[in-house]
Amino acid sequence: MVSRSRPAEGAMALAEMKEFASFPGATQRYIRRSLDIGLDRDDAMSRWSRDVVEAASIRAQARLYRALPELRERVPDDSGLEAVEPFLAPLVTIVAFDLGQGRLSSFSAVRFLYERLIGAEARPWLPAAFCAAAALPHLHPDNRRALLQSISEAAATASGWSNRQPSFFPHWVEKVEGGQSLAN
């Protein structure tokens, strides 16, 4: 009898870390900031605000992210259309905001962020939310094109999704004397 073994959790966390490391620095910063806001981890305003424009952006993001707890409860269990609107409409709005900030430049970055903000249960809905948000007219046409081209055919047409919860949640890292870093 053949038994199936699950990949080690450490190997999955390492793969998630590698994916995060592949994102540009601005994307990494925006994901950490968004996780601080969306998961209520730290004082995002004091940590991430560099000027009044960024402070205003953080306040707007925090207002939109107040919908996240309700979205986590509304993730549809199946593809029944009656459950789609109460979940997908607010999700598209939040994703559209995040894309409009200009720091998430690909589907993989959006998927990475929202798997952590909402949970693995949201995976089947992320391609639709991303494509809808990336096609909205508030984005420059060149940006819309680049975003929509970033989603692979496999991601857009997947027949199934993993229900494994993400294990790596990037945090801010403070530098200390001697070049060493300490994670918060």
Side-chain angles (χ1 to χ4, degrees), residues 16-17 33 38-39 52 71 73 89 96 100 117 128 147 150 163 169-170:
E16 292 173 15
M17 288 179 203
R33 171 187 127 171
L39 302 177
V52 294
L71 279 178
E73 294 174 12
L117 287 175
L147 286 166
S150 76
N163 61 0
F169 289 75

Side-chain angles (χ1 to χ4, degrees), residues 33-67:
R33 171 187 127 171
S34 299
L35 291 173
D36 283 354
I37 295 167
L39 302 177
D40 200 25
R41 291 196 308 200
D42 293 311
D43 180 6
M45 187 64 72
S46 64
R47 170 157 289 150
W48 300 106
S49 177
R50 295 178 287 195
D51 55 33
V52 294
V53 173
E54 195 161 27
S57 172
I58 290 169
R59 280 191 295 278
Q61 187 176 19
R63 277 191 306 277
L64 283 169
Y65 277 22
R66 285 186 200 134

Side-chain angles (χ1 to χ4, degrees), residues 1-92:
M1 180 169 174
V2 176
S3 66
R4 293 183 182 248
S5 63
R6 287 184 5 185
E9 290 297 319
M12 295 307 293
L14 183 59
E16 292 173 15
M17 288 179 203
K18 285 181 180 180
E19 180 180 23
F20 181 73
S22 74
F23 299 141
T27 299
Q28 291 178 20
R29 184 180 193 282
Y30 190 81
I31 288 172
R32 287 191 314 264
R33 171 187 127 171
S34 299
L35 291 173
D36 283 354
I37 295 167
L39 302 177
D40 200 25
R41 291 196 308 200
D42 293 311
D43 180 6
M45 187 64 72
S46 64
R47 170 157 289 150
W48 300 106
S49 177
R50 295 178 287 195
D51 55 33
V52 294
V53 173
E54 195 161 27
S57 172
I58 290 169
R59 280 191 295 278
Q61 187 176 19
R63 277 191 306 277
L64 283 169
Y65 277 22
R66 285 186 200 134
L68 288 174
E70 190 172 336
L71 279 178
R72 291 180 194 116
E73 294 174 12
R74 287 187 173 183
V75 177
D77 290 334
D78 58 28
S79 60
L81 294 178
E82 65 280 347
V84 172
E85 183 182 356
F87 175 73
L88 203 53
L91 179 59
V92 168

Side-chain angles (χ1 to χ4, degrees), residues 96-153:
F97 172 85
D98 283 335
L99 291 178
Q101 297 300 294
R103 300 293 186 253
L104 301 177
S105 57
S106 68
F107 172 69
S108 60
V110 169
R111 180 195 43 75
F112 186 93
L113 174 60
Y114 281 88
E115 285 177 351
R116 284 149 186 80
L117 287 175
I118 299 174
E121 304 80 22
R123 281 189 186 114
W125 304 100
L126 294 178
F130 173 79
C131 288
L136 290 173
H138 77 296
L139 298 173
H140 188 276
D142 292 338
N143 194 12
R144 289 196 310 259
R145 180 182 305 108
L147 286 166
L148 290 169
Q149 288 175 344
S150 76
I151 186 168
S152 69
E153 182 180 339

